[in-house]
Amino acid sequence: MERRLFEPEHDMFRDSVRRFFQNEVAPHRDRWHAEGQIDRDIYRKGGEQGLLLMQVGEEYGGAGIRDFRYEQILLEENLRYGDSGLYFTLHSRLVAPYIEGLGTAEQKRRFLPGCVSGETILGIAMTEPGAGSDLAGMKTRAEDKGDHFLLNGAKTYISNGINGDLFVVAARTGPGRQLGLFLVERGMAGFARGRNLKKMGLNSQDTAELFFENVQVPRANVLGDPARGFYYLMEYLVDERLISAAQYVAASQVAFDLTLDYIRERRIFGQAVGDFQVNRFKMADMRTQIDIAQVFVDHCVMEFNAGRLDAADIARAKLFCSELEGRVTDECVQLHGGAGYMDEYRISRMYRDARVSRIYAGSSEVMREIIARSIGLDPRKPAPKN
Ligand SMILES: Cc1cc2nc3c(=O)[nH]c(=O)nc-3n(C[C@H](O)[C@H](O)[C@H](O)COP(=O)(O)OP(=O)(O)OC[C@H]3O[C@@H](n4cnc5c(N)ncnc54)[C@H](O)[C@@H]3O)c2cc1C
């Protein structure tokens, strides 16, 4: 299906980005997977190409491109030609917006240029051993000591946890939903990293534990109002889900394409695997579902650009695309036969990578909660009287 949302300048950008991933990322993919992390130098190279924080203003070194279609192209090309564990978009569009949106002029001046150039790699630390979906249950504490906050606690499953230089850390500053967001820098006394966790998929992505023991976070590193962190997270997580949905439908498309090639070539019982009616129908079903998902995602991208992306719409897109990616990669492994189970076949990695899409960035169950509430099914509120 021809997608109509891109202009000629987007196509030119796609070509240059594709070359970047083919030349700078693809040759290192297998090594990165074996080592369990990417080379941090790739961020600096991405910065030189102008691929990081494209949205921030020229005063910080960015290009001031607010149009999310460029980021969508970047993540589509990364999935196809780069490496799924390289998280440029998490750095640029998931974490940097907290600094851009909530940071003081001084914080932006201090931190954004390094993020644009790729010298500073970003991460966000919300999840704890005892609190993931239920963020209000977090135990990490930040006590107000006047000129600084004293941070104590532990985070886990943090993307870019090993390579990261600057983390937006959520911590409790009071009872209930009273959380603050703090900028914790590499080298701060009392800040330590734990294990680079071994995972089912996304093997080149460094997902780690972080520990904070009496870390003195200066007041100058507090983002926004230290009592409103929970509400900031709820607001910015909407953007995370747009990135997620765009990524999952793109992954479904890549899995579909490489499977189509495979089943045209592979012959059994005197015919191509793709000539069996059952397989032709499977591919037809996947083609249909991916096209429908892509239309919805592209609509969400344009709504985001127009500043009116609806939280429940993007929850539907995230839910649908992550479930789609799971079904498609599973079916595509099946169509590859034994080869699909072998690590040297890309579909095997894609299948393993896909499993987390239904868990992070708000799990499928959390998305269903948001969607159900949006249609008035909210047990916390009394039913309207007829
Ligand atoms: C590879 C990877 C990278 C990650 N990167 C980051 C990161 O960079 N920063 C960060 O802060 N976190 C990160 N996470 C953590 C991730 O966001 C959490 O794992 C996720 O939010 C789920 O939380 P949990 O693991 O505590 O599961 P739990 O919250 O314990 O969920 C357990 C089960 O309960 C379900 N559930 C939740 N709510 C409901 C409900 N209302 N009704 C019914 N069932 C429900 C869940 O869907 C799940 O099936 C990452 C995780 C992974 C695996």
Side-chain angles (χ1 to χ4, degrees), residues 90 124-127 131-134 156-159 199 202 207 356 359-361 363 365-366 369:
L90 172 129
I124 182 159
M126 300 171 278
T127 307
S133 311
D134 181 14
T156 194
Y157 310 151
I158 306 307
S159 305
K199 304 190 292 299
L202 294 175
T207 311
V356 78
I359 296 172
Y360 67 7
S363 68
E365 289 70 31
V366 171
E369 268 296 335

Side-chain angles (χ1 to χ4, degrees), residues 112-366:
L112 289 179
C115 304
V116 174
S117 70
E119 304 297 321
T120 308
I121 299 177
L122 296 172
I124 182 159
M126 300 171 278
T127 307
E128 301 184 358
S133 311
D134 181 14
L135 283 175
M138 75 174 58
K139 298 264 189 302
T140 297
R141 298 193 67 82
E143 279 175 76
D144 191 344
K145 298 283 185 186
D147 64 338
H148 69 272
F149 278 79
L150 198 63
L151 187 64
N152 277 291
K155 299 287 176 181
T156 194
Y157 310 151
I158 306 307
S159 305
N160 289 352
I162 300 294
N163 278 323
D165 303 293
L166 183 65
F167 292 90
V168 173
V169 177
R172 174 160 301 294
T173 51
R177 292 182 163 183
Q178 197 176 315
L179 309 179
L181 300 182
F182 302 89
L183 288 165
V184 175
E185 301 173 59
R186 177 186 286 278
M188 279 184 165
F191 169 37
R193 291 153 217 259
R195 294 168 299 160
N196 184 4
L197 299 159
K198 292 247 178 282
K199 304 190 292 299
M200 173 195 275
L202 294 175
N203 301 105
S204 59
Q205 168 56 225
D206 48 316
T207 311
E209 300 163 316
L210 305 180
F211 300 107
F212 310 97
E213 197 182 339
N214 292 324
V215 179
Q216 292 191 14
V217 183
R219 259 210 129 72
N221 283 33
V222 178
L223 277 175
D225 179 345
R228 293 197 47 79
F230 183 85
Y231 302 96
Y232 298 145
L233 290 173
M234 292 305 112
E235 187 186 334
Y236 286 82
L237 285 173
V238 172
D239 298 6
E240 179 178 4
R241 288 170 194 148
L242 177 64
I243 297 165
S244 306
Q247 200 162 307
Y248 307 154
V249 71
S252 306
Q253 183 61 61
V254 173
F256 177 90
D257 290 343
L258 57 91
T259 303
L260 187 58
D261 288 345
Y262 184 84
I263 63 172
R264 278 181 171 145
E265 287 290 317
R266 172 78 176 165
R267 296 187 70 79
I268 51 171
F269 302 110
Q271 58 179 327
V273 171
D275 285 342
F276 290 92
Q277 190 188 49
V278 63
N279 297 337
R280 291 169 57 243
F281 281 17
K282 277 181 188 173
M283 294 302 283
D285 282 347
M286 286 193 271
R287 178 70 275 146
T288 306
Q289 290 175 21
I290 294 168
D291 280 348
I292 291 170
Q294 189 69 71
V295 170
F296 190 16
V297 167
D298 290 349
H299 165 77
C300 289
V301 166
M302 297 312 280
E303 289 295 282
F304 178 84
N305 279 352
R308 53 172 186 239
L309 180 60
D310 178 73
D313 279 352
I314 198 56
R316 279 189 275 277
K318 198 269 170 183
L319 172 65
F320 189 82
C321 294
S322 60
E323 301 279 335
L324 174 72
E325 186 194 12
R327 282 197 305 278
V328 167
T329 51
D330 183 57
E331 202 65 271
C332 289
V333 166
Q334 192 68 19
L335 284 162
H336 275 73
Y341 200 69
M342 298 297 140
D343 194 53
E344 65 193 271
Y345 282 82
R346 197 153 167 227
I347 193 61
S348 153
R349 286 185 187 173
M350 295 195 73
Y351 171 78
R352 287 181 283 127
D353 288 351
R355 190 60 190 88
V356 78
S357 305
R358 286 173 268 166
I359 296 172
Y360 67 7
S363 68
S364 288
E365 289 70 31
V366 171

Side-chain angles (χ1 to χ4, degrees), residues 18-43:
R18 179 171 301 175
R19 281 195 297 278
F20 176 83
F21 288 120
Q22 285 171 330
N23 297 334
E24 303 292 346
V25 175
H28 307 292
R29 204 160 39 205
D30 287 341
R31 181 172 55 80
W32 290 354
H33 275 245
E35 291 175 358
Q37 68 188 85
I38 58 153
D39 294 338
R40 52 172 293 128
D41 197 40
I42 191 65
Y43 273 84

